[in-house]
């Protein structure tokens, strides 16, 4: 991974800012004792070992709640505390694989593709935060403390919650559609004449009508092949082929103006190094400097 200094990896700088840390060997009695002392004066304990590790060390919820009334203890594990996979090791890429995230991501007819960001890792952390904040809110009602259990697998599945009902109940299979969407058309990126891509998000009937008018095909609005989203889904290849032929006639800047004037959700498809310099990111100060003068790095706020 990129190093920002002799001891500063990009991962560490991005994820550990404003944190105070110490190294503790929990397998040694003195290390476990230190952890207990810290827990006795803490409101929240977070851990992400396999389910049997902390109890085996005498640092499980049942052990530590005796030292700190009202303790909120959050365990993040790969697959949950029980079950046939509970003791397996895993990380973000394993979760993307086994949850189906990679299975629905990729080009038409191609293989599965890992999502570029560690979405299973980050979503697990956000679900954990939600649970911890809820527990803090009702802490006075739970003097016995609360144990929050987050499974990364369930967090990853929740990232696909819009597909779960039809998949689990109707046996629907979500296809890999590359730049497209399995439930909405047109809702994808189209190549422009200059080699750039424009993303079109016509996710309502109103936006679809505005889009059809903007690109000069108002007749599509009443065309039975395209009049409803269900019809557009059934005729995806035909419609998207027609749209692509039209979009390819002009550069991205042309279509951005046309669609923005028509109030159709759209955007250029930016590389990350361009996205972090976009006028909106700069205006919002979405990145912030950290570190000492002369040794500062920009991180997501």
């Amino acid at each position: 991974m990129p190093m920002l200094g002799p001891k500063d990896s990009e991962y560490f700088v991005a994820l550990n800012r404003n944190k105070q840390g110490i190294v503790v060997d929990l397998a040694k009695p003195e290390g476990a004792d230190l952890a207990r002392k810290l827990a006795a004066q803490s409101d929240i304990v977070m851990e992400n070992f396999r389910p049997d590790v902390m109890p085996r060390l005498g640092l499980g919820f049942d052990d530590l709640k005796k030292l700190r009334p009202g303790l909120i203890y959050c365990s993040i594990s790969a697959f949950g505390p029980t079950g046939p996979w509970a003791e397996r090791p895993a990380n973000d890429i394993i979760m993307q694989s086994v949850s189906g995230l990679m299975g629905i991501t990729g080009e038409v007819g191609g293989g599965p593709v890992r999502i570029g960001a560690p979405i299973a890792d980050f979503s697990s952390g956000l679900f954990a935060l939600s649970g911890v904040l809820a527990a803090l809110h009702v802490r006075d009602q739970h003097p016995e403390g609360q144990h929050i259990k987050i499974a990364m697998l369930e967090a990853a599945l929740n990232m696909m919650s819009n597909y779960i009902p039809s998949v689990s109940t109707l046996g629907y299979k979500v296809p890999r559609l590359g730049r497209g969407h399995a439930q909405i058309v047109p809702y994808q990126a189209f190549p422009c004449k200059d080699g750039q891509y424009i993303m079109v998000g016509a996710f309502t009937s109103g936006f679809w009508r505005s889009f059809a008018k903007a690109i000069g095909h108002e007749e599509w609005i009443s065309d039975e092949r395209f009049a409803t989203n269900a019809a557009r889904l059934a005729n995806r290849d035909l419609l998207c082929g027609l749209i692509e032929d039209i979009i390819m006639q002009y550069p991205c800047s042309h279509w951005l103006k046309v669609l923005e004037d028509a109030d159709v959700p759209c955007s250029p498809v930016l590389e990350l190094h361009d996205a972090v310099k976009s006028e909106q990111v700069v205006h919002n100060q979405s990145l912030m400097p950290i570190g000492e003068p002369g040794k500062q790095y920009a991180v997501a706020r």
Side-chain angles (χ1 to χ4, degrees), residues 156-231:
L157 285 170
N158 270 277
M159 294 297 97
M160 300 173 286
S161 58
N162 54 310
Y163 297 126
I164 297 298
S166 61
V167 169
S168 63
T169 306
L170 305 177
Y172 178 66
K173 295 181 179 179
V174 181
R176 288 190 281 273
L177 293 170
R179 302 187 303 271
H181 193 282
Q183 296 171 322
I184 307 170
V185 176
Y187 197 82
Q188 68 181 72
F190 294 96
C192 303
K193 185 176 182 179
D194 56 357
Q196 296 188 57
Y197 285 81
I198 184 168
M199 183 63 74
V200 176
F203 60 94
T204 68
S205 296
F207 285 137
W208 159 245
R209 291 191 291 268
S210 297
F211 175 73
K213 291 178 184 178
I215 65 173
H217 285 275
E218 188 171 355
E219 75 278 6
W220 286 354
I221 297 172
S222 56
D223 190 320
E224 63 180 14
R225 299 170 300 172
F226 311 137
T228 66
N229 186 62

Side-chain angles (χ1 to χ4, degrees), residues 72-192:
I72 296 168
Y73 189 105
C74 182
S75 298
I76 304 176
S77 63
F79 301 105
T82 61
W85 297 354
E87 296 303 321
R88 291 185 184 181
N91 50 23
D92 177 83
I93 201 167
I94 300 300
M95 286 302 122
Q96 290 202 31
S97 172
V98 77
S99 68
L101 273 170
M102 283 181 64
I104 67 171
T105 306
E107 291 296 333
V108 177
V113 174
R114 172 188 172 271
I115 297 170
I119 188 171
D121 274 348
F122 288 170
S123 62
S124 297
L126 290 171
F127 281 118
L129 173 64
S130 177
V132 167
L133 292 178
L136 279 173
H137 182 65
V138 297
R139 187 178 184 186
D140 290 344
Q141 302 171 33
H142 293 274
E144 76 282 6
Q146 293 197 70
H147 189 182
I148 299 160
K149 302 171 186 177
I150 303 293
M152 292 178 66
L153 175 59
E154 293 176 3
L157 285 170
N158 270 277
M159 294 297 97
M160 300 173 286
S161 58
N162 54 310
Y163 297 126
I164 297 298
S166 61
V167 169
S168 63
T169 306
L170 305 177
Y172 178 66
K173 295 181 179 179
V174 181
R176 288 190 281 273
L177 293 170
R179 302 187 303 271
H181 193 282
Q183 296 171 322
I184 307 170
V185 176
Y187 197 82
Q188 68 181 72
F190 294 96
C192 303

Side-chain angles (χ1 to χ4, degrees), residues 240-251:
C240 289
L242 293 172
I243 294 173
E244 186 165 318
D245 288 343
I246 294 167
I247 298 297
M248 278 292 291
Q249 295 176 20
Y250 296 96

